[in-house]
Amino acid sequence: MDDVLVVHGGAPLHGEIRVRGAKNLVSKAMVAALLGEAESRLHDVPSIRDVEVVRGLLELHGVRVSEGPAGELVFDPANVERANVDEINVHAGSSRIPILFCGPLLHRIGHAFIPDLGGCRIGDRPIDFHLSALREFGAHVEKSPEGLHLTAPDGLRGSKFTLPYPSVGATEQVLLTAVRAEGVTELRNAAVEPEIIDLICVLQKMGAIISVHTDRVIRIEGVPHLTGYQHRPLPDRLEVASWACAALATHGDVYVRNAQQVDMMTFLNVFRSVGGAFEVDDSHTGSGGIRFWHPGGELSAVALETDVHPGLMTDWQQPLVVALTQARGLSIVHETVYEQRLGFTDALVKMGATIQLYRECLGSTPCRFGQRNFLHSAVISGPSKLHGAELEIPDLRGGFSHFLAALAAEGTSRIHGVDLINRGYEDFEAKLAALGARVEHA
Ligand code: EPU
């Protein structure tokens, strides 16, 4: 497939697009279907690469997956079986989700093989929290050159753990393992992102007993059997923010159907502080949405820090940075979730932005990276006139931001490695076309 797109910048984006279920819930809900003894049905699933990878892995393990109307996927886990290591390894390096198959496969067939993981290169992305939690449950983990082999000769038992950091993936690992482990699990310092709460809703529909307490404590009472679920996922708030920033950076006006205010309040506050306008449309029953636009005048510089929920999401940072290149004054960004999530700014500098990266913590949110020599803070001086350039997509969110910058820039950009965007943005090119972007294949 042609992996290079040519973007003619300078045209404001105008129009309407719709987002589907959140990538970072849908893929986990698909894994949860493995735990049930009856069919599960997930609505409004986006057609993206991460979904294809998880579907492929489920099918290798004997889950029958079929498609219904309007993005519906149906999972029949009646005949879960061991899969061939070579066949699983075809998916090596393509996504981080396979690590979440550990608990469900141990419960269903007593063995799990996990290939080398992939995902975006935005930091070291270790899996130490996952493995120590699995060992606490009683799993044996053996590392081999081709991946991880897990067994649970004495079954899986609930336990008490405290995560060193509220990791989304490790919290999901514990949930997907504890629901069918013997006894009670108490997880402290858990992540409580809306996607996690939605996964808890999925598991509750399946028969799990999970309570979320104050101060990041989640308590799970293991049950011996789970059934299927029927679920409509929360909308993709990461994608919504990407299009919102596209409207702001290009002086445009974009209505994002299916966007929901409740899980985006922190983003909306920043969007408004920068000078963006939005209007929540929830007057009708049904999907509704949010309209985002540039109201004219100058954008304002802001200081922001990414953090775990309810803080500003790390995935909202990159599109916001593009908008901040157009704001008057000095903006400051402190990235506290991933140590290397500012690398994408190199391309913006090449396009004319003034951005300086720092190893120091430029903010007061407690951070693991200040002492460790990572360039994880940025100062952006604006407004800058951006011009077209030759760009290479570094990772999913950074890559979308390169597009944004190219759309906001004067002149033509050539963007390589575009296929990476399809990992997380459904119908990316069609949506750009619907908003009037001037984009063509090289
Ligand atoms: N961490 C560890 N050890 C672990 C696990 C995590 O040190 O065993 C560290 C990470 O290195 C990172 C921090 O903990 O510094 C947070 O990582 P987390 O586990 O929360 O992230 P994740 O589960 O790998 C998910 C999303 C990311 C999103 C983050 C934060 C999925 C598939 N990915 O990643 O989304 O940025 O949570 O909200 O759900 C994206 O969609 O493009 C994306 C990268």
Side-chain angles (χ1 to χ4, degrees), residues 315-327:
D315 304 82
W316 290 334
Q317 174 258 106
Q318 304 82 347
L320 278 168
V321 164
V322 179
L324 290 177
T325 65
Q326 303 309 304

Side-chain angles (χ1 to χ4, degrees), residues 23-25 27-28 50 95-97 120 122-131 165-170 172 191 193 237-238 307-308 313-315 336-339 341 368-369 395-397 423:
K23 162 176 101 64
N24 291 347
L25 173 275
S27 47
K28 303 9 170 350
D50 267 16
S95 159
R96 311 225 12 113
I97 312 297
C120 291
I122 49 181
D124 202 19
R125 305 195 79 178
I127 50 166
D128 50 337
F129 305 165
H130 294 252
L131 298 186
Y165 183 80
S167 149
V168 169
E172 291 159 345
E193 267 61 12
R237 64 199 180 110
L238 281 57
D307 202 355
V308 291
M313 284 203 79
T314 168
D315 304 82
T336 77
V337 180
Y338 287 109
E339 64 272 32
R341 224 174 181 183
R368 298 158 293 151
F369 311 136
D395 62 77
L396 184 60
R397 308 294 166 195
R423 251 197 64 214

Side-chain angles (χ1 to χ4, degrees), residues 140-162:
H140 288 191
V141 183
E142 226 177 89
K143 293 185 185 171
S144 72
E146 74 266 28
L148 298 174
H149 289 273
L150 292 96
T151 50
D154 305 318
L156 297 168
R157 291 171 313 280
S159 185
K160 283 193 177 182
F161 328 97
T162 302

Side-chain angles (χ1 to χ4, degrees), residues 21-358:
K23 162 176 101 64
N24 291 347
L25 173 275
V26 161
S27 47
K28 303 9 170 350
M30 290 172 75
V31 179
L34 249 185
L35 284 163
E37 282 159 26
E39 210 172 79
S40 290
R41 197 172 286 265
L42 192 57
H43 301 281
D44 215 14
V45 176
S47 175
I48 52 174
R49 185 81 44 70
D50 267 16
V51 166
E52 273 171 41
V53 171
V54 182
R55 177 179 179 163
L57 282 171
L58 287 172
E59 285 173 337
L60 283 178
H61 287 94
V63 178
R64 285 212 353 246
V65 184
S66 49
E67 288 168 33
E72 184 180 300
L73 284 184
V74 183
F75 310 95
D76 176 0
N79 297 305
V80 177
E81 60 192 15
R82 249 173 112 142
N84 177 292
V85 166
D86 292 338
E87 285 179 335
I88 296 179
N89 257 330
V90 169
H91 296 286
S94 51
S95 159
R96 311 225 12 113
I97 312 297
I99 189 72
L100 297 178
F101 277 70
C102 295
L105 284 178
L106 287 173
H107 285 303
R108 290 302 302 266
I109 51 175
H111 175 266
F113 169 70
I114 309 300
D116 268 352
L117 301 178
C120 291
R121 299 180 304 264
I122 49 181
D124 202 19
R125 305 195 79 178
I127 50 166
D128 50 337
F129 305 165
H130 294 252
L131 298 186
S132 49
L134 286 160
R135 289 190 176 108
E136 280 283 334
F137 278 111
H140 288 191
V141 183
E142 226 177 89
K143 293 185 185 171
S144 72
E146 74 266 28
L148 298 174
H149 289 273
L150 292 96
T151 50
D154 305 318
L156 297 168
R157 291 171 313 280
S159 185
K160 283 193 177 182
F161 328 97
T162 302
L163 288 177
Y165 183 80
S167 149
V168 169
T171 300
E172 291 159 345
Q173 182 75 263
V174 169
L175 286 168
L176 290 165
T177 307
V179 281
R180 278 190 57 179
E182 200 186 312
V184 173
T185 299
E186 193 178 281
L187 180 64
R188 297 187 168 270
N189 206 25
V192 290
E193 267 61 12
E195 290 77 9
I196 288 189
I197 302 303
D198 211 32
L199 179 63
I200 292 175
C201 291
V202 168
L203 294 167
Q204 187 178 50
K205 286 173 174 172
M206 298 176 79
I209 304 174
I210 304 171
S211 44
V212 182
H213 299 258
T214 48
D215 298 335
R216 300 189 173 278
V217 176
I218 301 182
R219 189 173 180 280
I220 305 124
E221 273 178 54
V223 295
H225 301 286
L226 291 172
T227 176
Y229 65 81
Q230 162 132 227
H231 192 69
R232 180 166 295 279
L234 82 168
D236 199 313
R237 64 199 180 110
L238 281 57
E239 184 177 357
V240 175
S242 302
W243 294 114
C245 291
L248 195 56
T250 66
H251 281 250
D253 188 332
V254 176
Y255 180 83
V256 186
R257 187 163 292 285
N258 207 24
Q260 258 178 33
Q261 179 183 16
V262 62
D263 296 325
M264 298 204 62
M265 284 165 60
T266 312
F267 173 82
L268 294 173
N269 287 335
V270 174
F271 192 79
R272 180 168 279 160
S273 309
V274 175
F278 66 88
E279 186 175 51
V280 178
D281 165 22
D282 56 6
S283 51
H284 305 285
T285 43
S287 77
I290 305 181
R291 176 186 162 211
F292 298 93
W293 74 98
H294 190 309
E298 282 203 323
L299 300 182
S300 309
V302 293
L304 49 93
E305 297 181 84
T306 63
D307 202 355
V308 291
H309 188 76
L312 187 80
M313 284 203 79
T314 168
D315 304 82
W316 290 334
Q317 174 258 106
Q318 304 82 347
L320 278 168
V321 164
V322 179
L324 290 177
T325 65
Q326 303 309 304
R328 176 154 309 274
L330 289 183
S331 293
I332 301 174
V333 173
H334 182 208
E335 167 63 54
T336 77
V337 180
Y338 287 109
E339 64 272 32
Q340 287 171 35
R341 224 174 181 183
L342 289 168
F344 77 99
T345 57
D346 287 359
L348 305 187
V349 171
K350 190 167 152 188
M351 297 174 81
T354 308
I355 303 176
Q356 182 76 44
L357 301 188
Y358 292 86

